[in-house]
Amino acid sequence: MMEKYLQKIKDGCAKRGVNDFEIYLKRTCGVSLTVKDKTLDASENEMSLGFGLRVRMNDEGHFPCLGFSFGRAFDENSIGLVIDQAVAGGRVVTPNADTGWPPRGWPEGKSDYSPIQNYDPDLGRISSEEKKKMALTLECEAMAFDAKIRRVRHATYHESIDEVCLFNSSGLDVSHQKSGLSLSLMPVAESGGASERFYDFVSTPIWHKLDPVSLARSTAKMAVDLLGGRRIPNYRGPVILHPAVAVALLEVFIIDNGVFRSIG
């Protein structure tokens, strides 16, 4: 199916006399299943498809210029508009002697590039019921962990499969698939009029590496452990932080305050 869309873009380039180009094509398919009170509460399916196009303009006596554009529609007129926009952009940017495409065969034979095993070919054989069972197990195991766990606000199974194609006029024609699976939940613990909740998730590209029981129990334990918290007097000195608290502080001080940007 991806070849059909790729051919449409190549035909559009040929029709407009664009002979030096590179196409990036990506399709994503996904499903999300959320369980609440032992029943399927929400089921969502997603599909997105889009492409990016780079064209190289070669004027006599000048270095080549690159133009870029992108789109998500694959009818002839829409593809043509993307190509025209890329060509127009290439005519106004600064020429660059270092522009070029990866050659045919890249990255094969390059020691710097190793195969990435981030796709589960067996995922297509997993039934919808088995995926739903993953989410049900999350909720049931969390509820069974401790009597203080009164409800689970959500227990979700999510998957996505990405397919990427890269083609250029130098002869490069490669593709890659990757899968992404995740489990997430938020149990709520209650005791003595107090209520605490905790959210956590796990992710992996491989189905058999998902472990809903371990995630449910560890997340439920955190929700229970948060009960009984109280204020302490002002204090100046060393403190010991739970890993989850340390991560939250790092997020505030490093990410939100732009420390990464200042030291980058």
Side-chain angles (χ1 to χ4, degrees), residues 18-23 53-58 65-67 98-104 106 166-172:
V18 177
N19 301 313
D20 204 358
F21 60 88
E22 183 172 75
I23 302 168
L53 176 70
R54 296 197 297 173
V55 300
R56 187 164 53 181
M57 314 295 294
N58 292 291
C65 302
L66 282 181
D98 297 322
T99 59
W101 313 132
R104 181 191 299 273
W106 178 90
L166 189 63
F167 178 91
N168 67 34
S169 51
S170 297
L172 180 69

Side-chain angles (χ1 to χ4, degrees), residues 10 24 43 61 88 137 174 178 227:
K10 290 190 285 184
Y24 174 88
S43 176
T137 301
V174 294
K178 70 173 183 177
L227 290 170

Side-chain angles (χ1 to χ4, degrees), residues 20 31 52 94 98 111 152 169 174 184 198 211 234 244 251 259 261 264:
D20 204 358
V31 61
T94 304
D98 297 322
S111 59
V152 175
S169 51
V174 294
S184 62
F198 189 76
D211 187 351
N234 292 341
E251 184 178 31
V259 176
R261 291 190 295 272

Side-chain angles (χ1 to χ4, degrees), residues 25 87 124 129 136 171 179 207 212 247:
L25 180 64
V87 171
E129 282 302 312
L136 284 168
S179 51
W207 167 266
V247 169

Side-chain angles (χ1 to χ4, degrees), residues 159-181:
E159 74 174 44
S160 65
I161 298 177
D162 295 337
E163 184 176 1
V164 173
C165 297
L166 189 63
F167 178 91
N168 67 34
S169 51
S170 297
L172 180 69
D173 188 358
V174 294
S175 61
H176 178 71
Q177 284 185 298
K178 70 173 183 177
S179 51
L181 312 176

Side-chain angles (χ1 to χ4, degrees), residues 90-146:
R91 288 174 175 157
V92 297
V93 300
T94 304
N96 187 340
D98 297 322
T99 59
W101 313 132
R104 181 191 299 273
W106 178 90
E108 295 176 7
K110 302 290 185 179
S111 59
D112 293 342
Y113 298 95
S114 301
I116 301 175
Q117 303 299 328
N118 60 352
Y119 176 66
D120 189 344
D122 297 325
L123 192 56
R125 293 191 284 269
I126 307 299
S127 68
S128 297
E129 282 302 312
E130 289 178 275
K131 297 171 184 179
K132 177 182 174 182
K133 185 178 178 181
M134 274 281 186
L136 284 168
T137 301
L138 274 177
E139 183 184 50
C140 291
E141 289 293 333
M143 292 293 295
F145 177 79
D146 192 294

